[in-house]
Structure formats: structure tokens, C-alpha cells
């Protein structure tokens, strides 16, 4: 049942990526919307789940928040290291951005989607009702995952074929994650820690890369409205899922 339900996430991810491809002439709006979606996913979905699942504290601070900060810093460090390596070797960059950063970010999205599938499978291990509820939440936000995976890959100058390949990998990941739970049971604290770490990395990409790029050439009110709409959409999805 978990694998069958995860096929809905597969289709929604592809739908999100297809939408991102069709609006290339409004790139600033795409980026503004992607930034809002990413902000909403982190603040309204990933971080609350991480805090609830991780539970434990380290020196007075929730472990999920420590990993959240670590994810932010690691994303910053990885981007700087990759960009420096590209410059040192004289490789071509896209507007000063290393294509490897986009692939790394997309790979992180694939990892997140795989964990979504694991979450579906683990929820079905608890009970059918909980499994359905978690599956609905995952399927609802996988549209944003597909949209962001394609956008993150292309914004750093990667070719369309690479973006499509990462999109397909992101779509398959939830199905593979759900299937993997037939073999093991994931401890809840580990899942919470992962969500916190990934949330920090995703917030860095949204705040330091995606949103500044969206407003760089087109500081339009419509771009800002798309960002607000993206965050509001995730709020609506989370509210419905609850």
C-alpha cells in the first residue's frame, strides 16, 4: 500500500517539474515562486516535523535546531568550496555560479524525496490512517519539490537534460523510499534530525541564492507577490493535511 500511494508523489513531482519548464520566459516569477515555496516548506513543514520527531536537547537547545543551523552552514560551505574550485580550474560558470552547486542542491532534494517515501512507509507501519494522512501531505508538497528540483538545477547553468534527469530521480525517490521500509524501521529521532539538517540547507538556498536572483534583474512587485503566494500555498497545504 505504501509503495502504491507513493506513486501519487511520483506524478506530482513530474507535474511540478513540467510546470517549471513551461514558464522560462518568466524566469523571475518562477524563482520568486520557488523561493516562497522553499521558505514555506522549511518553516511550516520540515522544521515543525523535525522538532517533534527529534525531541532531545543538546546543551539546552533542541537537536533539530542545531542540525538546522548545521545544514545552513554546510550548504554555504559547499557552495563556496565548489565555486572556488571552479574558479581555480578556470571552468566555465553561469553568471558566477558553479553548475555543480545546482546538481548538489538537486541531489539534496532527491534525498529529501526519498525520506518522504520512507516517512510514508514508516507511517503505514504505525497504522493505515496515519499512513494515508502522511501520504496526502507528501503528495501535496511534492509538486513544489519537482518545481524546485528543476529550477535549482537550471538556475546554476546546467543543461536541460541534466535538469530533467534530476527531476526524474526526484520523482522516483519517494517510491524507492517507501519500498525500502519493507526492509527496516527508521528511528524517529534520526528522521527528525535529517529533516532539521535538510531544512537549514534549503533555507540557505532560498534566502541566499534563489530570492536574490529573482529580484536581481526584475525587482517587480509581481515577483514579491509570487514569493508570498508560494509561502501561503504551503501554509494552505499544511493546514489541509493537519
Amino acid at each position: 500500500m505504501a509503495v502504491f500511494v507513493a506513486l501519487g508523489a511520483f506524478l506530482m513531482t513530474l507535474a511540478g517539474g513540467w510546470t517549471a519548464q513551461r514558464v522560462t520566459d518568466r524566469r523571475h516569477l518562477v524563482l520568486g515562486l520557488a523561493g516562497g515555496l522553499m521558505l514555506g516548506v522549511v518553516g511550516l513543514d520540515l522544521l515543525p516535523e523535525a522538532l517533534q520527531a527529534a525531541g532531545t536537547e543538546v546543551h539546552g537547545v533542541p537537536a533539530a535546531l542545531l542540525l538546522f543551523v548545521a545544514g545552513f552552514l554546510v550548504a554555504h560551505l559547499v557552495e563556496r568550496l565548489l565555486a572556488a574550485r571552479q574558479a581555480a580550474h578556470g571552468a566555465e560558470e553561469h553568471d558566477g555560479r558553479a553548475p555543480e552547486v545546482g546538481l548538489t542542491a538537486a541531489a539534496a532534494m532527491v534525498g529529501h524525496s526519498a525520506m518522504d517515501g520512507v516517512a510514508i512507509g514508516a507511517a503505514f507501519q504505525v497504522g493505515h490512517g496515519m499512513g494515508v494522512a502522511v501520504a496526502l501531505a507528501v503528495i501535496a508538497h511534492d509538486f513544489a519539490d519537482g518545481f524546485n528540483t528543476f529550477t535549482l538545477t537550471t538556475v546554476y547553468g546546467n543543461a536541460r537534460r541534466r535538469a530533467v534527469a534530476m527531476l526524474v530521480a526526484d520523482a522516483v525517490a519517494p517510491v524507492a523510499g517507501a519500498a525500502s521500509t519493507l526492509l527496516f524501521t527508521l528511528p524517529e529521532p534520526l528522521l527528525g534530525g535529517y529533516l532539521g539538517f535538510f531544512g537549514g540547507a534549503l533555507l540557505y538556498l532560498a534566502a541566499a541564492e534563489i530570492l536574490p536572483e529573482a529580484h536581481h534583474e526584475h525587482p517587480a512587485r509581481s515577483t514579491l507577490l509570487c514569493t508570498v503566494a508560494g509561502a501561503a500555498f504551503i501554509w494552505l497545504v499544511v493546514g489541509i493535511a493537519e
Side-chain angles (χ1 to χ4, degrees):
M1 176 61 74
V3 176
F4 177 76
V5 171
L7 290 175
F10 172 85
L11 296 176
M12 285 297 287
T13 302
L14 292 181
W18 181 87
T19 300
Q21 295 180 59
R22 289 294 179 270
V23 288
T24 53
D25 58 330
R26 294 289 185 269
R27 184 169 173 269
H28 60 291
L29 298 180
V30 171
L31 293 175
L33 179 63
L37 290 171
M38 293 162 73
L39 175 62
V41 167
V42 171
L44 306 177
D45 188 13
L46 291 182
L47 198 52
E49 287 187 18
L51 287 169
Q52 182 177 0
T56 60
E57 292 188 355
V58 179
H59 198 59
V61 178
L65 289 182
L66 289 174
L67 287 168
F68 176 79
V69 174
F72 189 98
L73 294 175
V74 167
H76 176 59
L77 178 63
V78 168
E79 183 193 37
R80 290 299 89 206
L81 289 176
L82 289 175
R85 189 186 69 174
Q86 286 288 105
H89 289 80
E92 180 181 358
E93 295 184 4
H94 178 72
D95 294 333
R97 300 179 187 276
E100 286 90 344
V101 175
L103 292 177
T104 302
M109 292 295 294
V110 174
H112 165 62
S113 294
M115 293 303 292
D116 278 346
V118 171
I120 292 175
F124 270 102
Q125 289 178 0
V126 174
H128 183 78
M130 180 175 290
V132 171
V134 170
L136 287 176
V138 169
I139 291 171
H141 82 249
D142 268 356
F143 179 88
D145 285 352
F147 189 98
N148 290 334
T149 297
F150 187 88
T151 302
L152 284 169
T153 308
T154 56
V155 75
Y156 283 92
N158 289 286
R160 181 180 179 276
R161 60 183 177 79
R162 285 187 176 182
V164 171
M166 296 307 296
L167 175 63
V168 172
D170 191 37
V172 172
V175 181
S180 71
T181 58
L182 300 176
L183 305 175
F184 68 92
T185 300
L186 185 70
E188 189 176 19
L190 180 61
L191 176 60
Y194 170 79
L195 292 177
F197 183 87
F198 176 73
L202 199 62
L203 181 63
Y204 174 83
L205 294 173
E209 298 297 329
I210 298 299
L211 291 178
E213 181 70 15
H215 292 277
H216 177 62
E217 296 180 358
H218 298 276
R221 184 178 301 174
S222 57
T223 306
L224 178 59
L225 290 176
C226 283
T227 302
V228 174
F233 173 75
I234 296 299
W235 183 21
L236 177 64
V237 168
V238 171
I240 293 175
E242 291 295 332

